[in-house]
Amino acid sequence: MPTVLFEKDCGRTFVPERFALLLATGGLGLCLCAPVFAQDLGGLRGVSGDDTAQDVADPKAEIILPDDDAVFTPTRALPVPAVGPLQTGSVGEEGNPYAALGTPLGSFVLRSTLDLGLNGKRESGSNTLSGEGSLQLDLESDWSRHALDISAFGRLQRGLSGDDTLEPEGTINATGRLDIGASTTLTGRLGYSYALDDPQSAAFIAATDPGLIPVVTGVNDPPTQTFSGSLALRQEVGRLYGEGELSVEHSMYGDAELSDATVIPQSDLDNTMIDGRLRAGIEASAVFSPFIEATYGVRRMRETPDSGGLDRNSVRYGLRLGTGIDLGEKLNGEISAGYLREDIADSALADIAGVSVDATFNWSPRRETDVTLDLSTSTETSGGTSESGALLYAANLGVTHRVRANLTAEAGFGAEYRDADGSADEVTLNADAALTFWFNRFAGLRTRVGHEETLSSDPAQRGRTTSAYVGLRLQR
């Protein structure tokens, strides 16, 4: 029969040595478990401090000690599970106390970010100052099956140093995923973008020829609008998987204005690209998933021939081999290499062809640090009378590091190589760095500096731009 120690008024006696041993053991256990208790107590909601103290130090709690003749049998201690971060409503994404909480909208969560500030730029030896405002909206579904994500971004710049030109740009994208079965997924995407770009049509190039007298120049950056949509189906059969996708992209180019008040339409650059893609792969291991992918597409111009008298309709096709890589949250992505070619209908224009390299990687080398790498190869058209277009290679590296809970540092590096047919090749290099200091969860100070340089054998294509930005960031 074990000896039970109660309060003094119960009439029992106790042994001082055992009581001392009990106190020492309890004190050691309390020291080891103090961090866990602190987290648990800090995460409690709706429990008063008095109630908690009463539960911990109840004077009527009984302590049971074994008899002197009891025989102990050693047993293996059960492993103690790791204590992870508490999931409470007051902590945002990944435990970041300064992350946007978002606004619940039914079964969706809306997150918004507003930036307001000043942007200084030095380009071609001249300095400009402009006011800048941008808004980012992200709407994400919170469903057990299927998914729908909608994102929108808009930016406005207006000159403050003499040139009060308004420069707008924006994008909106929607992605929906339908889980048809355990191994079948249907994904649809819709997109729209609006941006200002340099004039490119053959009529504009002819009208602004430097050899003409008097000299005429362009005075605006015409808008370019792009509408896109795609539908993709993925089917898994054991370790094998297949993907098929059909995508459509339509581009529209705005009018160019000249210094002599002439307006030149660029509708001859409008085109529609229809692409088909097939991929077959196998999950060879838990890490590697090799695949083979073939693409075929057609480009149809709105006007044939264009203002330069050329037929720029084309057929594009490609083949590439690659593999997906999955090492969990530390490293994941895919890499591939192959061949890409675009055959142009007009015999006066050379076809665009070359080796293609594509990759997407997400890497987390250490806690609070994320690195992204993107490599892409694509073709682009041109409006020059002797230019077919170019094969464009692009590389972008981004690094994000949370220095402190309320201080985030970002850096980005980019490079583009435009392998042009019929004109000088171009290399564009850019780098930027940014810091965001949060005053609280909803407001912070953001600064950014950037530099871009274009290198080319044609002096007219060379350029150098340096910019700096400081402003207020608000989020919800």
Side-chain angles (χ1 to χ4, degrees):
M1 184 74 179
T3 302
V4 183
L5 301 182
F6 292 94
E7 286 187 1
K8 185 176 181 180
D9 59 357
C10 66
R12 299 289 182 115
T13 60
F14 58 93
V15 180
E17 292 83 2
R18 292 182 179 174
F19 187 70
L21 177 62
L22 177 64
L23 288 178
T25 305
L28 179 59
L30 183 61
C31 293
L32 294 176
C33 299
V36 180
F37 291 156
Q39 291 191 50
D40 291 340
L41 291 175
L44 290 177
R45 295 293 183 268
V47 179
S48 65
D50 294 340
D51 295 339
T52 304
Q54 182 178 356
D55 293 342
V56 174
D58 188 355
K60 294 188 179 297
E62 58 180 37
I63 307 173
I64 301 176
L65 290 179
D67 287 332
D68 295 337
D69 298 335
V71 178
F72 294 94
T73 303
T75 57
R76 182 177 181 181
L78 295 177
V80 178
V83 179
L86 292 178
Q87 301 299 323
T88 65
S90 63
V91 180
E93 181 181 357
E94 297 183 358
N96 182 3
Y98 292 89
L101 290 175
T103 303
L105 297 176
S107 59
F108 291 85
V109 177
L110 175 65
R111 291 181 172 85
S112 56
T113 303
L114 175 65
D115 286 309
L116 298 171
L118 296 175
N119 186 52
K121 182 185 294 185
R122 180 176 179 82
E123 184 177 11
S124 302
S126 61
N127 300 324
T128 59
L129 178 66
S130 61
E132 180 178 312
S134 64
L135 177 64
Q136 173 77 44
L137 298 174
D138 294 296
L139 184 66
E140 300 178 359
S141 63
D142 186 16
W143 304 333
S144 58
R145 291 188 63 203
H146 318 306
L148 177 60
D149 298 334
I150 302 175
S151 64
F153 174 78
R155 175 186 287 139
L156 283 175
Q157 281 191 351
R158 191 179 189 91
L160 302 176
S161 56
D163 184 7
D164 60 352
T165 304
L166 190 65
E167 299 181 3
E169 66 174 289
T171 61
I172 181 170
N173 294 285
T175 301
R177 190 194 73 240
L178 181 63
D179 300 325
I180 301 175
S183 58
T184 306
T185 303
L186 183 66
T187 304
R189 295 181 176 87
L190 292 174
Y192 169 77
S193 67
Y194 180 98
L196 304 182
D197 201 358
D198 296 333
Q200 306 175 40
S201 68
F204 173 83
I205 296 174
T208 56
D209 187 341
L212 297 177
I213 298 178
V215 176
V216 178
T217 59
V219 297
N220 77 321
D221 290 330
T224 299
Q225 302 181 71
T226 303
F227 303 82
S228 61
S230 67
L231 194 62
L233 180 67
R234 178 184 173 96
Q235 176 67 53
E236 299 177 1
V237 181
R239 296 168 59 187
L240 301 176
Y241 68 91
E243 295 179 7
E245 182 179 19
L246 180 65
S247 61
V248 180
E249 183 177 282
H250 179 69
S251 300
M252 300 173 57
Y253 296 81
D255 298 341
E257 300 175 3
L258 304 182
S259 56
D260 62 356
T262 303
V263 176
I264 297 181
Q266 293 194 114
S267 57
D268 58 324
L269 294 178
D270 296 356
N271 68 90
T272 301
M273 188 75 197
I274 303 175
D275 260 319
R277 177 180 68 88
L278 291 175
R279 173 183 289 195
I282 180 173
E283 296 180 359
S285 67
V287 177
F288 297 102
S289 302
F291 63 84
I292 181 172
E293 182 176 285
T295 59
Y296 181 85
V298 294
R299 187 191 302 274
R300 289 294 175 260
M301 308 299 296
R302 177 181 176 182
E303 298 179 10
T304 302
D306 63 4
S307 56
L310 299 173
D311 182 359
R312 295 186 180 273
N313 291 327
S314 63
V315 175
R316 184 172 67 184
Y317 48 90
L319 181 68
R320 60 187 181 128
L321 298 173
T323 182
I325 300 175
D326 188 358
L327 292 173
E329 296 182 356
K330 279 295 182 182
L331 177 65
N332 59 77
E334 70 173 47
I335 184 170
S336 64
Y339 180 78
L340 182 64
R341 184 181 183 90
E342 183 167 351
D343 294 336
I344 302 176
D346 201 304
S347 58
L349 299 175
D351 298 332
I352 305 170
V355 174
S356 66
V357 178
D358 298 88
T360 301
F361 281 108
N362 300 301
W363 178 38
S364 181
R366 54 175 295 181
R367 184 178 177 84
E368 311 295 355
T369 302
D370 296 311
V371 181
T372 61
L373 173 65
D374 292 303
L375 305 176
S376 64
T377 306
S378 59
T379 60
E380 60 179 20
T381 60
S382 175
T385 54
S386 60
E387 302 175 9
S388 349
L391 195 64
L392 181 63
Y393 297 93
N396 291 284
L397 177 67
V399 181
T400 302
H401 177 64
R402 200 164 75 184
V403 182
R404 295 182 351 193
N406 64 338
L407 180 62
T408 303
E410 303 170 63
F413 307 91
E416 288 186 356
Y417 171 60
R418 182 174 282 100
D419 185 6
D421 196 308
S423 62
D425 294 349
E426 293 180 13
V427 176
T428 302
L429 304 174
N430 64 77
D432 59 78
L435 285 174
T436 304
F437 178 81
W438 294 103
F439 306 121
N440 52 47
R441 186 185 291 277
F442 307 103
L445 178 68
R446 181 170 175 82
T447 61
R448 182 183 68 242
V449 293
H451 181 77
E452 179 177 294
E453 188 160 351
T454 300
L455 309 174
S456 175
S457 57
D458 183 1
Q461 301 299 327
R462 298 173 189 168
R464 179 180 298 177
T465 303
T466 302
S467 63
Y469 168 88
V470 60
L472 179 67
R473 167 163 287 190
L474 305 175
Q475 69 175 14
R476 172 57 184 166

